[in-house]
């Protein structure tokens, strides 16, 4: 699972771009990928806060399953009431980074059964 972290009020929250988040995007937008693209492109504050809430919640769920220390989840209302405009750049940068990392394919290349290691020129 690809995760990221966002710092809000001095606490580091785990972000997770999980299947749960994709399903929430699909339910809200009709198409998860088009919805995600629209939210990130339009940069509408209410949409970004909605996505952030989804990813913090997913991160907290993942942390509980994996036994990772995490301060918990923050609701949409808690985010709206406590986050200042001066925190947007760092906060939404972390969100975009976690989404980007979650969309990158992870490929591991291992030598085949009969492969020989050779020095490259």
């Amino acid at each position: 699972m690809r995760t990221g972290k966002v710092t809000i009020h001095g606490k580091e929250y785990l972000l997770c771009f999980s299947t749960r988040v994709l399903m929430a995007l699909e339910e809200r937008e009709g198409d998860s990928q088009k919805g995600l693209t629209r939210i990130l492109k339009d940069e509408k504050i209410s949409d970004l806060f909605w996505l952030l809430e989804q990813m913090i919640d997913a991160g907290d769920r993942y942390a509980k399953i994996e036994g990772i220390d995490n301060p918990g989840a923050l609701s949409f209302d808690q985010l709206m009431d406590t986050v200042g405009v001066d925190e947007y750049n760092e906060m939404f940068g972390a969100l975009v980074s976690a989404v980007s990392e979650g969309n990158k394919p992870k490929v591991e290349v291992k030598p085949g059964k009969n492969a020989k290691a050779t020095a490259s020129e």
Side-chain angles (χ1 to χ4, degrees):
M1 180 72 62
R2 303 271 172 104
T3 60
K5 293 188 178 190
V6 63
T7 302
I8 300 173
H9 307 297
K11 292 182 182 175
E12 204 170 64
Y13 293 85
L14 190 64
L15 294 174
C16 187
F17 190 60
S18 67
T19 300
R20 176 178 296 278
V21 174
L22 285 172
M23 290 176 74
L25 273 163
E26 185 177 86
E27 185 176 313
R28 184 176 198 245
E29 300 285 327
D31 180 290
S32 61
Q33 290 304 312
K34 287 179 184 175
L36 178 62
T37 300
R38 184 197 64 75
I39 288 171
L40 296 178
K41 179 180 163 265
D42 291 353
E43 296 182 350
K44 189 174 167 188
I45 299 300
S46 59
D47 290 338
L48 289 168
F49 269 89
W50 176 85
L51 182 58
L52 182 64
E53 177 204 13
Q54 299 301 311
M55 290 178 64
I56 288 173
D57 179 64
D60 190 49
R61 290 169 181 272
Y62 181 72
K64 286 176 182 169
I65 291 168
E66 294 296 320
I68 300 169
D69 189 35
N70 192 58
L74 293 169
S75 71
F76 186 78
D77 285 333
Q78 287 172 314
L79 288 167
M80 284 191 313
D81 293 338
T82 61
V83 173
V85 175
D86 57 323
E87 298 173 86
Y88 287 5
N89 283 340
E90 185 178 335
M91 190 175 64
F92 294 138
L95 179 142
V96 169
S97 178
V99 169
S100 297
E101 287 300 313
N103 281 330
K104 286 182 184 175
K106 185 176 180 180
V107 179
E108 290 183 31
V109 179
K110 295 180 181 177
K113 190 175 177 180
N114 296 320
K116 292 182 183 178
T118 60
S120 59
E121 295 179 28

